[in-house]
């Protein structure tokens, strides 16, 4: 997806550690991406990252009419992976690597930007009624963030059942199941489908975790979490206890807290402002860095970084 106005005010991202509020419940911010309204769970001023997860937009469920579903024109990324997961509806992904991939319910799109990639998200042309899904970003570590771009589509993801819940593992490991999707750092992401009642599952004590409820209502330990809220758990747990008050679907993300500062501006994840300026200029001048997306949509122009004078 694309974030047209992501914050000059966001600035430097520094990991926080106040353990007084645990679990911590944070309301998502309502915003729009392309023609969709989204609930942005990450980043928040009070919670910028969970492991290397640095962005999470929950879109829908929303009634769409015919083919007027998700449409986000070509735009660039650096230094991150996009994880796209659809519960209802379809999206066509096109990127500057030449990928063209329809994504449907239960399938995973994972795009690695590295030093640069561009992509679009477009309606499939099929008649669909409802769009519902989530897109997350993972900040790439220094070891891979200047590397090559890549794209993966996973039709079959491991699933495990226990204790009132079914987990579909998107990336990393949950329980005994490990996704074959590429990860560049120690993290995990899974969809948990819960029936009414309590579930307890193993956690890694070196991971921090977050839950984003897509449908339903759950108690995360003693705190209620509903769609539009992020539930955050500090590191140090060996298990996590969730009680579904109604049939519920949520995304569980976790990872080792980042040990470096990241800088997010617009669609770019970097470590310093100079890197953002360079990416801004390369997109503005349409250099070869990002390549071309085979799309009929005109590219999205970057907003002007606040540190660059409009006359320059
Ligand atoms: Mn995007």
């Amino acid at each position: 997806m694309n974030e047209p106005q992501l914050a000059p005010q966001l600035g430097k991202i520094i990991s926080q550690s106040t353990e007084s509020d645990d679990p911590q419940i944070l309301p998502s911010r309502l915003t729009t991406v392309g023609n969709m309204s989204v609930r942005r769970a990450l980043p928040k001023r009070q919670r910028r990252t969970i492991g290397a997860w640095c962005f999470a937009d929950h879109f829908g469920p929303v009634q769409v009419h015919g083919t007027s579903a998700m449409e986000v024109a070509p735009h660039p990324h650096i230094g991150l992976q996009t994880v796209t997961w659809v519960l209802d509806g379809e999206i066509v992904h096109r990127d500057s690597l030449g990928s063209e991939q329809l994504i449907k319910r239960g399938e995973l799109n994972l795009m690695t930007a590295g030093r640069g990639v561009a992509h679009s998200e477009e309606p499939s042309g099929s008649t669909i009624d409802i769009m519902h899904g989530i897109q997350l970003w993972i900040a790439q570590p220094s070891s891979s963030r200047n590397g090559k771009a890549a794209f993966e589509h996973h039709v079959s993801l491991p699933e495990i059942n226990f204790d009132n819940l079914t987990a579909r593992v998107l990336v990393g490991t949950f329980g005994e199941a490990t996704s074959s999707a590429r990860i560049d750092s120690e993290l995990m992401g899974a969809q948990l489908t819960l029936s009414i009642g309590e579930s307890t599952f193993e956690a890694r004590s070196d991971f921090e975790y977050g839950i984003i409820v897509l449908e339903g209502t759950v108690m995360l330990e003693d705190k209620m979490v509903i769609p539009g809220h992020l539930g955050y758990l500090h590191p140090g747990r060996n298990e996590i206890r969730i009680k579904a008050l109604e049939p519920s679907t949520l995304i569980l993300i976790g990872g080792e807290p980042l040990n470096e500062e990241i800088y997010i501006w617009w669609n770019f994840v970097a470590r310093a402002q100079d890197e953002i300026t360079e990416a801004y200029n390369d997109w503005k001048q349409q250099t070869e860095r990002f390549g071309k997306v085979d799309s009929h949509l005109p590219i999205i122009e970057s907003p002007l970084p606040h540190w660059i004078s409009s006359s320059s």
Side-chain angles (χ1 to χ4, degrees):
M1 276 191 220
N2 169 64
E3 168 45 59
Q5 296 300 335
L6 187 65
Q9 75 270 16
L10 202 59
K12 276 241 160 167
I13 290 189
I14 301 165
S15 63
Q16 312 89 59
S17 59
T18 49
E19 312 227 341
S20 53
D21 199 12
D22 188 23
Q24 183 182 30
I25 309 299
L26 295 164
S28 302
R29 184 164 69 86
L30 287 176
T31 184
T32 53
V33 172
N35 54 348
M36 301 275 293
S37 106
V38 302
R39 303 179 185 91
R40 181 154 302 151
L42 280 180
K44 300 274 302 171
R45 191 171 297 280
Q46 309 94 314
R47 176 54 47 199
R48 301 291 171 86
T49 53
I50 297 176
W53 299 95
C54 62
F55 183 96
D57 268 359
H58 174 201
F59 53 92
V62 62
Q63 190 92 38
V64 293
H65 302 287
T67 59
S68 64
M70 177 169 295
E71 186 169 275
V72 184
H75 59 278
H77 288 293
I78 64 168
L80 62 88
Q81 292 180 297
T82 61
V83 172
T84 309
W85 179 249
V86 176
L87 281 80
D88 266 306
E90 296 179 350
I91 305 170
V92 172
H93 162 97
R94 291 191 173 88
D95 67 37
S96 52
L97 299 164
S99 319
E100 177 176 333
Q101 181 62 58
L102 175 68
I103 180 172
K104 296 183 290 193
R105 180 183 175 86
E107 302 176 353
L108 175 73
N109 273 2
L110 177 71
M111 183 180 73
T112 302
R115 192 173 143 67
V117 75
H119 75 142
S120 67
E121 287 147 319
E122 303 181 24
S124 66
S126 317
T127 301
I128 58 169
D129 298 324
I130 302 282
M131 275 300 300
H132 189 199
I134 187 166
Q135 188 175 87
L136 304 117
W137 295 356
I138 299 168
Q140 290 184 255
S142 291
S143 55
S144 72
R145 70 189 187 89
N146 291 310
K148 284 184 182 165
F151 177 74
E152 294 177 5
H153 177 68
H154 295 269
V155 173
S156 133
L157 296 162
E159 189 174 277
I160 51 169
N161 295 288
F162 54 89
D163 239 29
N164 254 354
L165 79 79
T166 299
R168 182 72 63 90
V169 187
L170 312 184
V171 294
T173 297
F174 181 84
E176 303 293 305
T178 299
S179 167
S180 57
R182 165 179 166 175
I183 51 171
D184 292 359
S185 60
E186 286 294 311
L187 56 81
M188 62 76 59
Q191 175 184 271
L192 308 187
T193 307
L194 299 102
S195 35
I196 294 173
E198 194 164 289
S199 304
T200 302
F201 50 87
E202 269 182 43
R204 274 178 61 163
S205 61
D206 58 335
F207 274 21
E208 54 187 346
Y209 289 93
I211 67 165
I212 299 160
V213 177
L214 305 179
E215 299 170 321
T217 305
V218 304
M219 298 298 294
L220 177 63
E221 299 179 354
D222 61 339
K223 304 269 178 69
M224 185 183 285
V225 193
I226 57 173
H229 289 76
L230 170 76
Y232 171 77
L233 297 167
H234 289 87
R237 282 174 173 72
N238 294 312
E239 58 177 38
I240 294 172
R241 183 167 44 88
I242 298 177
K243 184 178 176 185
L245 303 181
E246 54 185 316
S248 300
T249 304
L250 60 87
I251 298 292
L252 173 73
I253 53 177
E256 285 182 345
L258 278 187
N259 59 8
E260 51 185 341
E261 291 180 4
I262 63 171
Y263 200 112
I264 302 182
W265 186 85
W266 196 45
N267 292 303
F268 304 137
V269 175
R271 299 296 181 275
Q273 199 174 75
D274 286 356
E275 295 176 11
I276 303 277
T277 303
E278 194 188 353
Y280 166 78
N281 284 327
D282 284 337
W283 181 247
K284 188 178 180 189
Q285 292 156 19
Q286 287 288 295
T287 67
E288 287 180 358
R289 176 176 184 177
F290 294 107
K292 294 273 182 280
V293 182
D294 183 15
S295 168
H296 72 282
L297 300 168
I299 64 164
I300 297 177
E301 288 180 27
S302 169
L304 184 71
H306 66 95
W307 59 90
I308 296 179
S309 150
S310 56
S311 58
S312 66

